[in-house]
Amino acid sequence: MSPGALRAKLLAGGELALLDVREQGVHYQGHPFFASSLPLSRLEMMVEDLVPRKSAPLVLFDGGDEGLAERAAVKLGQIGYTHVDILEGGCAAWKASGGELFSGVNVPSKAFGEFVEHRYGTPRIPPAELKRLQDSGRKLVILDSRPWEEYRRMSIPGGIDVPGAELVYRVHDLAPDPGTLVVVNCAGRTRSIIGCQSLRNAGLGEVVALRDGTMGWELAGYECERGSARVAPEPPADAKKKARATTDAVAQRFQVKFARAPQVRAWLQDATRTTYLLDVRTREEFETGHLEGARHAPGGQLVQATDETIGVRNARIVLVDPEHVRSVMTASWLNQ
């Protein structure tokens, strides 16, 4: 497939998986915007999660002259994938034809975070202001929107681990007083922006993002905690009720759709359309019990790293959460 034909397919709006078969570190150095990383060395382990329907259209690429895409195409054919193209000339040809290459990880999600901050005017405060507020005795709560492993590595002093989509579900228990300032942080920018704006979209007013997260905190000369173990507890019934009520309005505002189990079962059997069944709850809840065929994809990380979970653009995505709060908040962002 020529670069021009690929560009036309991306703009056409149908299903398409654009897959970089180079090693992950090379992928991060530069790739087309909507590409997912599928290293040849781990292809068999990753591809069926990233592209669950074997007749979905795939376009593979490498740097242009390594022959990796051709080897990957052979492997995919052996696994049973039936609609595989190779980008002629790879990244080099894409760039030569006027296409841009983007460096870094989770590029679409991070670009989206910047768009969200600009679009909504998501408020943020610098580390020095948070430190001043802490020292002044201001009533506040710091919610760290990253997964447990990242939070444990380094966190803002006093911060509580409440990953991504858990924020709206648990905040009414953590900050029951309307006068409490809620500060959302991550390691850098994106997850704090999305987390802060999630709470604001759900009707909480006094919420801000910490500018540049834990990295900004340390660059400002303050120390992060290591090995912290503060975790948001299971919210009580009244807090859950408040969370559900706020997300009902979010679902309406952002056109979140709902499907019943028989419809989802039929979608999973549909050989003409890709369907992802993703459980967005905590890992503990998922491991206690989940729907057959569902994959664990905690909501906050799904918005932060969509390209690592959903390889097929314009696919159908079904999110699972019996409480409806985390699934609705995640769906609201995926819709946007």
Side-chain angles (χ1 to χ4, degrees):
M1 180 179 291
S2 69
L6 173 58
R7 192 171 290 110
K9 280 189 75 72
L10 286 168
L11 292 171
E15 285 197 13
L16 180 68
L18 179 58
L19 305 172
D20 186 346
V21 299
R22 301 172 297 170
E23 287 303 305
Q24 206 167 46
V26 184
H27 169 78
Y28 295 160
Q29 291 173 19
H31 55 270
F33 189 76
F34 287 122
S36 287
S37 176
L38 179 67
L40 178 63
S41 61
R42 290 187 286 150
L43 184 144
E44 294 94 337
M45 292 186 289
M46 295 175 60
V47 68
E48 291 185 351
D49 284 342
L50 203 56
V51 184
R53 183 169 69 92
K54 291 189 175 177
S55 55
L58 281 58
V59 178
L60 313 180
F61 69 89
D62 53 26
D65 56 6
E66 302 100 326
L68 298 176
E70 286 78 8
R71 289 166 58 193
V74 171
K75 280 192 178 186
L76 289 168
Q78 292 168 344
I79 295 170
Y81 286 86
T82 58
H83 192 162
V84 182
D85 284 299
I86 295 171
L87 175 61
E88 188 178 4
C91 276
W94 178 259
K95 186 174 182 180
S97 71
E100 189 167 352
L101 299 178
F102 293 82
S103 62
V105 301
N106 311 131
V107 170
S109 297
K110 289 181 176 178
F112 178 64
E114 298 303 307
F115 171 81
V116 167
E117 184 185 53
H118 179 75
R119 170 69 177 80
Y120 288 108
T122 307
R124 56 181 178 163
I125 59 172
E129 176 64 8
L130 173 57
K131 186 68 170 64
R132 186 190 68 77
L133 290 170
Q134 285 180 311
D135 293 344
S136 73
R138 170 77 155 90
K139 194 167 191 176
L140 60 82
V141 61
I142 301 169
L143 305 183
D144 193 313
S145 63
R146 299 170 300 159
W148 170 249
E149 295 79 10
E150 285 190 63
Y151 166 78
R152 289 272 295 169
R153 207 171 298 139
M154 59 189 300
S155 60
I156 305 300
I160 304 168
D161 188 41
V162 195
E166 301 294 320
L167 286 162
V168 173
Y169 183 53
R170 300 174 192 271
V171 71
H172 298 282
D173 180 42
L174 296 169
D177 184 345
T180 302
L181 175 67
V182 178
V183 181
V184 181
N185 79 273
C186 63
R189 291 177 53 78
T190 308
R191 288 170 290 185
S192 62
I193 293 168
I194 296 295
C196 173
Q197 195 57 50
S198 291
L199 292 170
R200 296 178 69 83
N201 287 352
L204 276 82
E206 284 216 86
V207 190
V208 296
L210 176 63
R211 190 170 70 194
D212 301 326
T214 53
M215 289 189 290
W217 184 261
E218 292 216 323
L219 287 170
Y222 308 122
E223 283 191 21
C224 282
E225 292 181 341
R226 262 76 177 177
S228 299
R230 289 178 295 270
V231 181
E234 180 70 13
D238 60 330
K240 287 183 180 180
K241 188 175 179 180
K242 286 181 183 177
R244 289 192 203 102
T246 60
T247 50
D248 284 345
V250 171
Q252 196 167 31
R253 178 181 175 187
F254 295 107
Q255 302 175 327
V256 175
K257 299 175 183 177
F258 296 86
R260 297 187 180 277
Q263 177 68 79
V264 177
R265 290 194 194 99
W267 284 340
L268 291 170
Q269 298 302 316
D270 183 357
T272 65
R273 182 90 191 273
T274 302
T275 299
Y276 292 86
L277 182 62
L278 304 174
D279 192 317
V280 296
R281 301 173 297 163
T282 64
R283 179 165 293 282
E284 291 75 18
E285 289 172 280
F286 176 79
E287 290 179 350
T288 298
H290 57 266
L291 299 183
E292 183 181 0
R295 289 168 53 212
H296 182 233
Q301 286 301 101
L302 182 55
V303 177
Q304 162 73 7
T306 310
D307 58 308
E308 294 180 15
T309 302
I310 300 167
V312 181
R313 291 188 54 73
N314 299 305
R316 183 190 288 118
I317 302 165
V318 181
L319 307 179
V320 182
D321 170 22
E323 300 291 347
H324 273 187
V325 177
R326 294 160 290 191
S327 56
V328 165
M329 294 310 302
T330 305
S332 76
W333 288 121
L334 294 179
N335 280 356
Q336 291 176 79

